[in-house]
Amino acid sequence: ALDKHISEDALVTVGGVNRKLLILAMLVLISIGFIKLVTLLFSDIRSERNVKLAVLYKGKEKEFEAFVDSGNLAVDPFDKTPVMFVNKTLAESLFGVDAKKIITPSESDYELKKRLRIIPCDFGGTFKTLTALRADGVFLILKNKKEKISLLIAPDLDTDSFGGYPALVPNSVLGK
């Protein structure tokens, strides 16, 4: 099609503007843009993702859905285990204690204290120290199949919801 509309002397034009060639180039660019737009609209890529998780703690298992966030880069500084943030309500139902006790356990609560991890985090220039817990097991549920993943759980007392979900899980645990 290009050979039909473009002659050799059109390519050698000096100082002038070849309007036919410019129009053809614009049509090609618009066509490519339209094709890319259509493929984005009908592809499986979603801007919001969630996963179903199960947490096992002291013999009790709790299932819930969590929002997947690629910006959650919090990790344990010693073994690089990713950290999942949970709201106060979910933390209390997972661990069976008040969320404030998780963050500041009493001296006599040895079982809870041995599971604690201190996580330094940068929240957009503001540095905070988080308290996270290691559960007996965290499982990713995919189509009736459970896959064990390594994940720490940090209660966030200031946040009620993470995009409508009770938890915020990092994208790194999905292995993608």
Side-chain angles (χ1 to χ4, degrees), residues 54-73:
V55 173
L56 180 66
Y57 182 74
K58 291 186 177 181
K60 294 180 183 176
E61 187 173 303
K62 172 107 173 134
E63 289 185 7
F64 58 93
E65 291 202 14
F67 185 72
V68 178
D69 182 23
S70 60
N72 180 359
L73 303 175

Side-chain angles (χ1 to χ4, degrees), residues 69 72 74 83-92 94-95 97-104 119 121-123 128-133 152-163 165-169:
D69 182 23
N72 180 359
V83 178
M84 172 177 61
F85 298 106
V86 297
N87 65 14
K88 180 181 177 183
T89 308
L90 181 59
E92 290 172 350
L94 288 175
F95 301 114
V97 295
D98 186 52
K100 290 181 182 177
K101 284 187 178 182
I102 296 170
I103 294 173
T104 55
I119 313 294
C121 286
D122 178 12
F123 291 97
K128 290 183 182 178
T129 304
L130 301 174
T131 304
L133 278 169
L152 294 175
I153 302 166
D156 187 352
L157 303 181
D158 300 330
T159 307
D160 292 330
S161 172
F162 302 96
Y165 296 93
L168 183 72
V169 66

Side-chain angles (χ1 to χ4, degrees), residues 34-50:
F34 181 74
I35 291 170
K36 287 199 176 254
L37 183 65
V38 168
T39 56
L40 280 175
L41 288 174
F42 294 112
S43 68
D44 289 336
I45 298 171
R46 296 183 299 178
S47 61
E48 181 182 318
R49 287 193 351 196
N50 63 332

Side-chain angles (χ1 to χ4, degrees), residues 75-149:
V75 293
D76 185 349
F78 294 110
D79 64 0
K80 303 297 183 212
T81 303
V83 178
M84 172 177 61
F85 298 106
V86 297
N87 65 14
K88 180 181 177 183
T89 308
L90 181 59
E92 290 172 350
S93 70
L94 288 175
F95 301 114
V97 295
D98 186 52
K100 290 181 182 177
K101 284 187 178 182
I102 296 170
I103 294 173
T104 55
S106 64
E107 289 292 323
S108 61
D109 200 354
Y110 179 72
E111 181 66 30
L112 188 63
K113 287 173 70 175
K114 73 178 185 179
R115 295 175 180 265
L116 288 181
R117 302 289 185 268
I118 304 300
I119 313 294
C121 286
D122 178 12
F123 291 97
T126 306
F127 290 95
K128 290 183 182 178
T129 304
L130 301 174
T131 304
L133 278 169
R134 186 175 301 278
D136 295 330
V138 180
F139 302 93
L140 182 63
I141 301 172
L142 301 167
K143 296 181 184 175
N144 303 329
K145 200 168 62 166
K146 285 186 180 180
E147 181 181 328
K148 188 170 185 174
I149 56 174

